[in-house]
Amino acid sequence: MLFKKSLLIIFISCILVEICTYNNWLPPLEQVIYDTYHRMAKVRSGYTPHVVIIAIDAKTLNYFKEDPLVFWGPHFAQAISALGNAGAAAIGIDLIFSINPESWLQKMKFDISTATRSINTLFQKQIHSSKIVLAGQVTWSKENHELFNLPAVEYMYALSDGPASVGLVNLFQDSDGVVRSFYEKLFDDNRKPDTAFAPLLAMKAGYGNPGSKINRIGYIGPPGTIPRVSLMDLFTSDAKALKRLALLLKDKIAIISVEQDGFNDSHITPYSGGLLSGNINLMKGGEIHANIIETIISEKSLKDLPVLFRVAWLIVAVSAFVFFAQALGPKRGLAVNVLILVIFAVFSYILFLTGILAPIINLALALILSFLGILSTKLTHEEKERLQMKKKFGPYVSESVLEEIIKQNKLPTLGGEEIEITAMFSDIRNFTTISEKLSPAEVVEFLNHYYSQVCDLVTSNKGIVDKFIGDAVMVIFGAPLPTPDHGKRCLKTALAMLETAIEFKVWLNKRFPDRDIPEFQIGIGIHTGKALVGNIGSRQRMEYTAIGDTINIASRLEGLCKKLGWTIVASQTTIKATEHEVVFGRKEKIQPRGRSGSIEIVEVLGMKPDARNKGGTNEKI
């Protein structure tokens, strides 16, 4: 029956999670986990750079501060020439040259001289190379019409392949604003331009052949990981500097990109951390394009775990949890739940490092659902068992003991069994005299107050109050719950009762002042041995109790307290297991009335300091 329930829990949990995955309800949460993996991994191990960013940085902008960007054609021409001389495999310019100087001057109604008209001739000659990619962009209107922002006609048709050498620099964000994926082609209707900037640039360098698909970016590291060279460094004439540039740039793809703060080309990536982390580490567009190129060249686009493996991954985790939770119970099962999730999270991170995305959020949801399923079936089962226990066994034990019995998942033998227990009898000294000083209602109040405290002490040590006999109380330890140290528990309870008696004396004098009430004292008798424990009585009235010689001796020892002048009288059989922990007083041999043979008894004064728990005392009453 339990096996069938476990299978049902596993099946329902996995089905519900797969429904959530199919409806795309969980991936947004999963992305947060993958972003965390990126930040944990930092720079990808074994990374070999294929891209170098030529940064238009503060140094470059400051040097050419007198030149409007529209007139930078000669500077770009010189940079392209330097990159070609250094052996760059391909060059991409992450700037949209939507106007040329001539068009701008005409717009501003300036006189256009021959020198002005030829200002970008050198630049146009340089970009004629087949390994040059210029940037373009497409946006969509509210009516979903494409709006292109492309290089000026003079530049676009100066390219070796015309519009086919224009790459679209659009970066696509997920719903949370993070750039995690890229399109190779934005259109599949053979229009030009149609290819994204980075895939086109990789193709120009001889890597890949862009198709109509979307891939996850396999980022190689946080912002600043891609090697950089200032654009200004390309204008050097120093031989050593040129040699260093050649070593850095040879066979590399170069992306000329603005990296100065203030330009609107910064984006949120998995390394940004998000608002909750307080670390908004944005990445420049040029570096994102570089990461896309590295993804294409290394063929390490992050890929989802195949469906069959994902389902197997889910079933294995949930099955392991259900097995351990059923064996250990819901409370420990919750700890197992967390442990399994941690183990699978470690595996998920290891797989991430190899480029495979193994889900964790759906796993966490499945474990939560299976835990709730186990808890529900457990509670239903326990409720049925509880009702059965209350019906058959409730009248004989306290609620706390009943709860413990249910936890043990084992019903005591109600027909009676002979087991070793420790029995304790305690009565109140001078009870008759005290009763004469109080009214019947006050006597009830007095007994109820005292017995309430005694019962708490007994049940806290896993004993049961068997019965009240007037001013006396009978307690047994070791049944119905097996407790191997029942003798020690009984002694500790007895010593705790002495402390309670001291406190009770204060209460009694305050509650009933000027009544001339005798000093409150108790006597306790304890004996350990075999007894018959179970349901005893008639058809009309059954009682869970213990009977036998052990009970009779404990009662006789309590009766000796007053005669001997001892507060706690315990047999040697009780003391034997805890002799090294108990403080003794006097010792004697006695022959209990109605029993042949003598037994050794001792006066218990307290527990030794290293063995005493709260409730122990050395004070004798």
Side-chain angles (χ1 to χ4, degrees), residues 10 14 309-324 340 344 363 367:
I10 294 170
C14 292
F309 286 98
R310 187 188 73 215
V311 173
W313 163 275
L314 194 64
I315 292 174
V316 168
V318 174
S319 299
F321 166 67
V322 170
F323 172 78
F324 285 110
I340 289 176
F344 273 79
L363 195 64
L367 293 180

Side-chain angles (χ1 to χ4, degrees), residues 11 40 76 97 106 128 189 198 207 209 241 244 270 291 298 312 319 333 408 519 523 541 562 588 604:
F11 176 76
M40 289 170 58
F76 287 124
F97 297 95
Q106 286 177 340
H128 185 68
D189 53 5
Y207 299 102
N209 186 20
R244 286 195 298 269
N291 274 280
S298 64
S319 299
Q408 296 280 340
E519 185 179 10
R541 179 177 174 80
K562 191 172 184 179
E588 288 193 17
V604 178

Side-chain angles (χ1 to χ4, degrees), residues 30-45 174 178-181 215-223 225 268-273 279 281 283 291 295 300-303 348-357:
E30 204 72 63
Q31 290 167 348
V32 176
I33 300 296
Y34 298 151
D35 291 352
T36 303
Y37 288 169
H38 279 90
R39 294 191 291 276
M40 289 170 58
K42 297 182 180 178
V43 179
R44 184 184 297 172
S45 60
D174 289 333
V178 181
V179 179
R180 299 187 182 92
S181 305
N215 300 284
R216 284 195 180 90
I217 303 173
Y219 284 98
I220 54 91
T225 303
I268 301 173
T269 68
Y271 294 98
S272 298
N279 174 30
N281 191 13
M283 185 178 286
N291 274 280
T295 301
K300 287 187 177 180
S301 172
L302 294 174
K303 295 178 175 60
S348 174
Y349 178 67
I350 293 172
L351 289 172
F352 166 80
L353 295 178
T354 67
I356 298 174
L357 302 178

Side-chain angles (χ1 to χ4, degrees), residues 136 138 140 166-175 178-188 193-203 209-219 288-289 291-293 295-296 301:
V138 60
W140 284 266
V166 175
L168 300 174
V169 293
N170 296 73
L171 293 174
F172 296 92
Q173 302 173 343
D174 289 333
S175 58
V178 181
V179 179
R180 299 187 182 92
S181 305
F182 70 95
Y183 287 92
E184 294 185 358
K185 283 192 173 185
L186 277 65
F187 305 100
D188 56 4
D194 61 354
T195 307
F197 180 78
L200 180 60
L201 192 52
M203 185 183 72
N209 186 20
S212 300
K213 59 181 179 179
I214 184 171
N215 300 284
R216 284 195 180 90
I217 303 173
Y219 284 98
I288 295 177
H289 293 305
N291 274 280
I292 294 172
I293 293 172
T295 301
I296 294 169
S301 172

